[in-house]
Amino acid sequence: MPRLANLLGVFSARRLEPHPSETQRFLPEKTRPLDPQLRERLYQRLAPVLTTAITAAISIWIAALDLTDYRDTGQINYYITHYRTAVQAVVHIISTLLGLLWIYSVCAMINRYTRLHYVKEAVSFDTLRLWCALSIRRIDLNLPLYYATISLLFVVASSLPTTIWVGALTPERSHFKQDISLAVPKTGPDSYPFLLNGFDCGGPPLYQDNGTFTLCPANHFSGNMLASARSATPIAGSRNHTKFDASSYNYVGRSYGVGSAPGLTDTTWTNNPLAINYTYLEDGYRTRATCLYNTSSDWRIDVAQDNSKIRIPGAPQPKLPNIYYAHGHLPNSNWSRPEDPWDANWAVGESPGDRIISIGSHNDPDLPTYYVAIAARKAYKRLHQVQCQIIFTPTTFRVTVNIQDASVQIRSTGLAQDPEPRGLLRSRVSGAMDHISEIATTAITSIFGDALMDNIHNMQARQNLPHGDADLSDETILRAVEDSFNAIMDDFLVSMASTALTMPDATTYITAEACGNAIKVGSRFFVLATLIINVLTLLCVIFATFRESIWSNLPMFDYTDQASMSWGSAFGSTRSENFSRLADGTLRQWNGDPQNDVLRSVTTRLQLGPPTNQIYVTM
């Protein structure tokens, strides 16, 4: 076999210089078209366009999904959520394939332009090896430092699109929004129709799986409301408290009497496994108690019947509790008339009745203002003559329901029309305190008074004040009582609204904005980066391809193919040595095609010495 001296030469200290006549003899004339038999096949010339078009089309599709805010909530979301490891592996495989298609296109364009240049003029071996490194994307450390650095930077830079594809294809958790229908208490002139019966409780409570509902919350939920009054002032942060129904939803902060629907009329949405939250607007009252000490208060407690002298025969130290009578005018009472007996409260207590407290209110729905007053005996003397004005401000609230942690947050958005303009609901709310004070006063103690005192000590702790009744300031007491009354009014309103939801004529339907879990493809930054890279690459490839007439003057010979380079360097493409006898005994001329059978029939071998400083490649 002839030696490949023209390509590799003898690797000695002597540098090989190409013979000018030999180099120029193989250069085609620039104006002469290339023989069609020497051209690459059409599919090879268009392959970079096709591969780049594939990556560009996929990047455009992904960008369209992202820019149109497409979110998947079906089977894809299910598989991605439950099989994240497998999905990530698939993403990396697809990203690698797409990155390889892009790398092939870029390397093919480098290879084609350098091959055209190779036809037109001679280049050094170092330049040729750099072309090879760029065309096949490898780091060649045998090159001079400058060229080796170029090959290194190219390999690193060409790896970036694959990484960017990972970011563009990796599914991300996202959200979708949709409108849902939600039943809420009706507002306006025909709201709360059951209040037209006055203070009639309408029979026993309604017991359902989702809770207990009553027209008289002060009677049935007095214990719950007293618990709210006791914890109305949080020592730190905001107050969290549970709804009275069976939904287990918690209010974060005040409820202001709205937000009764969560857990009761929203099950169509909350049963959706993708549900996250929903928000809606609801009109209600922004209730507020403003308290002060009124030393001229007419609300007082008197002994109606002294039973301390009564003895029961046969009973050791028998004694009966006294009966006490709380009465007097309220600031909004008609002072020109005698005391209204409907405002009076009754209480019992052991003599001398030190642990008795009574709260009075005048509940006329036609009055513009509402007041409550406290009269207390010795054990609760710091609460005596506390008087509070109850303010009802019609307000529109934004209710935000977080389904995943079962929380409800209420935020005011502005003033609204009166949700119950007849005043019946306001009258029932202002009367809630005096009803509870009657219910929660026993012969031993007043549970309401204890609850108020407990919350006063909470306020002390919140204000970092010393503990103990002697250290209580009037300001601390009044602010704590305000918080307790606000908590009771909020709970009363929510309970009434929840009861309204059980009555078709007391409810209406509104539209709530719901949010659920979804899956979207990729991060927008990576999606847009992928789109820009692939579209620009496609445009460049198309421009170059048609600028060079679909590479019509590009010969088949490829210097990156070792067999083609070895055979072409050894024999040339027009010499008589370019004929080789194949295994079947036929002769075929080699036209530079790397797929030609001539190259498949040739074997090569590396030979060492002699002399020892020479290496030969023989055929």
Side-chain angles (χ1 to χ4, degrees):
M1 287 290 182
R3 296 175 179 176
L4 292 181
N6 289 341
L7 174 62
L8 301 177
V10 178
F11 285 78
S12 61
R14 182 174 61 88
R15 179 179 176 180
L16 295 177
E17 297 290 343
H19 192 280
S21 60
E22 286 294 307
T23 302
Q24 297 298 326
R25 189 159 64 92
F26 297 109
L27 297 179
E29 297 180 7
K30 296 182 180 180
T31 59
R32 187 175 63 188
L34 187 67
D35 187 341
Q37 293 184 350
L38 300 180
R39 295 177 185 169
E40 275 193 323
R41 297 167 182 84
L42 181 61
Y43 78 87
Q44 293 175 318
R45 287 180 279 159
L46 293 178
V49 178
L50 177 62
T51 55
T52 312
I54 292 174
T55 59
I58 295 175
S59 66
I60 292 172
W61 176 58
I62 294 175
L65 294 178
D66 183 75
L67 296 176
T68 56
D69 290 328
Y70 173 79
R71 303 291 186 268
D72 184 84
T73 60
Q75 289 298 316
I76 295 178
N77 178 43
Y78 174 82
Y79 286 118
I80 290 175
T81 303
H82 291 78
Y83 304 99
R84 295 192 61 83
T85 303
V87 169
Q88 197 61 37
V90 172
V91 166
H92 275 80
I93 293 173
I94 296 176
S95 300
T96 301
L97 293 176
L98 294 174
L100 288 176
L101 291 178
W102 183 88
I103 292 171
Y104 166 77
S105 302
V106 173
C107 292
M109 298 308 296
I110 294 174
N111 176 263
R112 278 158 172 71
Y113 267 112
T114 53
R115 283 159 63 189
L116 284 177
H117 185 77
Y118 196 31
V119 172
K120 297 175 182 178
E121 62 179 281
V123 297
S124 66
F125 274 170
D126 285 340
T127 301
L128 189 61
R129 287 190 293 174
L130 174 63
W131 290 356
C132 287
L134 299 180
S135 296
I136 63 177
R137 189 176 172 266
R138 73 183 180 94
I139 302 172
D140 191 346
L141 299 180
N142 295 318
L143 289 170
L145 179 61
Y146 176 71
Y147 282 178
T149 303
I150 293 176
S151 67
L152 172 63
L153 294 177
F154 177 75
V155 170
V156 173
S158 60
S159 301
L160 294 180
T162 299
T163 305
I164 297 175
W165 270 115
V166 173
L169 292 176
T170 299
E172 282 191 348
R173 285 193 173 276
S174 184
H175 307 122
F176 71 94
K177 293 183 177 180
Q178 72 176 54
D179 292 338
I180 62 173
S181 181
L182 186 70
V184 297
K186 186 183 296 183
T187 59
D190 56 347
S191 61
Y192 295 92
F194 50 85
L195 295 179
L196 296 174
N197 297 325
F199 285 85
D200 184 8
C201 290
L206 176 64
Y207 298 99
Q208 296 184 160
D209 292 341
N210 56 358
T212 301
F213 308 95
T214 176
L215 300 182
C216 292
N219 294 351
H220 193 81
F221 294 118
S222 59
N224 304 70
M225 294 183 185
L226 288 170
S228 292
R230 178 174 281 108
S231 61
T233 302
I235 296 176
S238 60
R239 175 175 176 254
N240 294 346
H241 52 110
T242 306
K243 293 180 64 183
F244 293 169
D245 53 42
S247 64
S248 299
Y249 273 89
N250 291 287
Y251 284 107
V252 180
R254 286 191 60 183
S255 69
Y256 295 103
V258 297
S260 58
L264 300 180
T265 64
D266 60 351
T267 52
T268 301
W269 172 244
T270 57
N271 289 337
N272 187 333
L274 301 177
I276 300 176
N277 58 52
Y278 65 91
T279 62
Y280 65 95
L281 298 178
E282 184 177 355
D283 291 343
Y285 290 114
R286 188 181 183 92
T287 54
R288 181 167 59 94
T290 58
C291 301
L292 51 77
Y293 279 104
N294 182 6
T295 57
S296 61
S297 175
D298 190 46
W299 187 254
R300 59 198 181 276
I301 299 176
D302 293 327
V303 178
Q305 181 175 320
D306 186 355
N307 295 325
S308 61
K309 306 291 186 180
I310 299 177
R311 294 291 183 267
I312 300 176
Q317 297 182 348
K319 65 178 179 179
L320 296 176
N322 293 339
I323 299 176
Y324 296 87
Y325 179 60
H327 62 103
H329 287 88
L330 277 296
N332 59 340
S333 301
N334 188 342
W335 287 69
S336 63
R337 297 180 181 178
E339 297 173 2
D340 190 342
W342 286 102
D343 295 341
N345 289 337
W346 294 91
V348 295
E350 292 183 347
S351 180
D354 290 342
R355 301 193 66 83
I356 295 176
I357 186 175
S358 178
I359 299 177
S361 64
H362 183 66
N363 309 309
D364 189 340
D366 296 327
L367 293 175
T369 55
Y370 297 87
Y371 290 89
V372 294
I374 300 177
R377 306 286 285 199
K378 182 179 178 180
Y380 309 108
K381 61 182 180 179
R382 298 301 300 271
L383 297 173
H384 185 55
Q385 294 183 328
V386 170
Q387 182 177 286
C388 304
Q389 181 182 4
I390 307 301
I391 300 172
F392 296 90
T393 304
T395 304
T396 298
F397 297 94
R398 178 174 295 278
V399 182
T400 302
V401 183
N402 190 315
I403 298 170
Q404 296 179 336
D405 62 6
S407 66
V408 183
Q409 287 186 308
I410 311 297
R411 294 291 182 269
S412 171
T413 62
L415 298 179
Q417 296 294 323
D418 195 329
E420 201 282 295
R422 294 164 301 191
L424 300 175
L425 184 59
R426 296 193 299 272
S427 176
R428 291 287 294 270
V429 173
S430 64
M433 268 74 75
D434 65 32
H435 287 124
I436 295 174
S437 72
E438 284 188 288
I439 295 170
T441 298
T442 70
I444 305 300
T445 189
S446 170
I447 302 175
F448 201 165
D450 293 339
L452 293 178
M453 293 304 298
D454 287 347
N455 195 55
I456 289 171
H457 290 294
N458 290 341
M459 181 65 76
Q460 274 186 305
R462 185 177 181 87
Q463 296 175 344
N464 296 317
L465 298 176
H467 289 278
D469 292 346
D471 299 312
L472 288 174
S473 66
D474 291 349
E475 182 68 18
T476 298
I477 293 173
L478 294 175
R479 299 295 81 78
V481 171
E482 289 174 355
D483 286 352
S484 294
F485 284 177
N486 290 337
I488 290 175
M489 291 187 291
D490 288 352
D491 289 344
F492 189 94
L493 285 169
V494 171
S495 182
M496 295 293 284
S498 299
T499 300
L501 294 177
T502 65
M503 305 178 183
D505 60 341
T507 59
T508 185
Y509 285 88
I510 63 170
T511 299
E513 184 181 83
C515 179
N517 282 315
I519 291 294
K520 75 182 193 72
V521 179
S523 169
R524 176 159 294 185
F525 172 81
F526 291 105
V527 168
L528 294 181
T530 302
L531 175 67
I532 293 171
I533 291 173
N534 286 279
V535 170
L536 288 180
T537 304
L538 175 62
L539 294 177
C540 291
V541 170
I542 292 175
F543 173 79
T545 300
F546 287 95
R547 180 176 179 271
E548 298 297 336
S549 302
I550 315 182
W551 309 106
S552 58
N553 289 321
L554 183 68
M556 289 186 184
F557 178 80
D558 186 356
Y559 59 78
T560 61
D561 182 74
Q562 294 182 3
S564 298
M565 196 66 179
S566 300
W567 189 263
S569 299
F571 299 102
S573 61
T574 59
R575 295 181 178 181
S576 59
E577 293 93 340
N578 194 24
F579 292 86
S580 174
R581 183 170 300 278
L582 304 182
D584 58 1
T586 62
L587 292 176
R588 182 177 300 175
Q589 185 178 18
W590 182 61
N591 59 0
D593 183 4
Q595 301 181 26
N596 195 289
D597 291 339
V598 171
L599 302 182
R600 295 193 177 99
S601 64
V602 177
T603 59
T604 63
R605 179 187 176 189
L606 178 69
Q607 291 185 348
L608 304 177
T612 58
N613 63 343
Q614 293 182 339
I615 297 177
Y616 300 90
V617 177
T618 60
M619 296 186 183

